[in-house]
Amino acid sequence: MLLEFDGTFIFALISFIIFMLIMNVILYRPITKIMEERQKFYDKNKKTVMESKKKAEDILQEKQDKILSAKLEAANILQNTQDKIKSNRETALNKKKDEVKVLLSSNETKMAEEKNRVKEELQNKVDTFVKMAVSKVLDGEA
């Protein structure tokens, strides 16, 4: 059996080609166009998502940098404040030590003067008592 090519085969072939052309215009092109638009929309949204993600990462990194910078600045301020307090404390302590030294020196001077005054006063009184004792002893002998 050989294949027979008659008018129906040609009609079926022409009908198939026309059908394919009509399907191409009615179905395949619109579906292809919709698929292309969908792919463009997907790519655009993917690009937007990537850009947003990158911006979010940049903002997060900037935030972390600012936090680190603020922590370092706070640590520096704290250290400077502690150094100033320590310096002020040492200055005040040295000032008080100097005041105490001056006060002690002044008191030592006053005490030495008082000691000398009392010593002289006692010496005068001892001399007076000796004279009185000598005069009573001598008056008692006479």
Side-chain angles (χ1 to χ4, degrees):
M1 267 188 112
L2 291 173
L3 282 174
E4 293 179 26
F5 290 105
D6 57 358
T8 57
F9 177 74
I10 293 178
F11 180 73
L13 182 63
I14 293 174
S15 296
F16 180 74
I17 291 174
I18 292 173
F19 175 75
M20 289 304 292
L21 290 174
I22 292 173
M23 289 300 289
N24 189 26
V25 170
I26 294 174
L27 185 65
Y28 298 131
R29 281 187 193 167
I31 288 176
T32 306
K33 185 177 178 183
I34 290 171
M35 288 174 60
E36 287 174 359
E37 288 176 3
R38 183 174 173 226
Q39 186 64 38
K40 286 178 186 178
F41 179 75
Y42 173 78
D43 291 341
K44 180 182 172 186
N45 285 339
K46 185 177 179 183
K47 182 180 176 185
T48 304
V49 166
M50 291 299 216
E51 289 173 357
S52 297
K53 187 176 180 181
K54 182 165 178 15
K55 283 182 184 179
E57 288 173 356
D58 291 344
I59 290 171
L60 181 62
Q61 183 63 38
E62 183 179 335
K63 175 185 161 192
Q64 289 173 345
D65 291 344
K66 285 183 180 180
I67 288 172
L68 180 62
S69 174
K71 283 182 180 180
L72 289 174
E73 186 176 342
N76 286 338
I77 290 171
L78 180 63
Q79 184 63 39
N80 289 340
T81 304
Q82 287 175 342
D83 291 344
K84 285 179 184 178
I85 289 171
K86 185 177 179 182
S87 174
N88 289 343
R89 183 178 39 199
E90 288 175 2
T91 302
L93 185 60
N94 289 337
K95 183 178 178 183
K96 284 295 180 183
K97 283 181 182 179
D98 291 342
E99 288 176 6
V100 168
K101 284 179 184 178
V102 168
L103 186 60
L104 284 175
S105 175
S106 173
N107 285 342
E108 285 175 358
T109 304
K110 285 180 183 179
M111 287 178 70
E113 289 173 0
E114 183 70 19
K115 177 182 167 187
N116 289 336
R117 188 187 60 78
V118 169
K119 197 175 188 182
E120 287 176 13
E121 190 178 298
L122 285 176
Q123 187 66 35
N124 289 336
K125 285 185 181 181
V126 167
D127 288 342
T128 305
F129 286 131
V130 168
K131 286 180 186 177
M132 284 172 54
V134 168
S135 94
K136 280 194 180 191
V137 169
L138 289 180
D139 283 341
E141 284 181 15

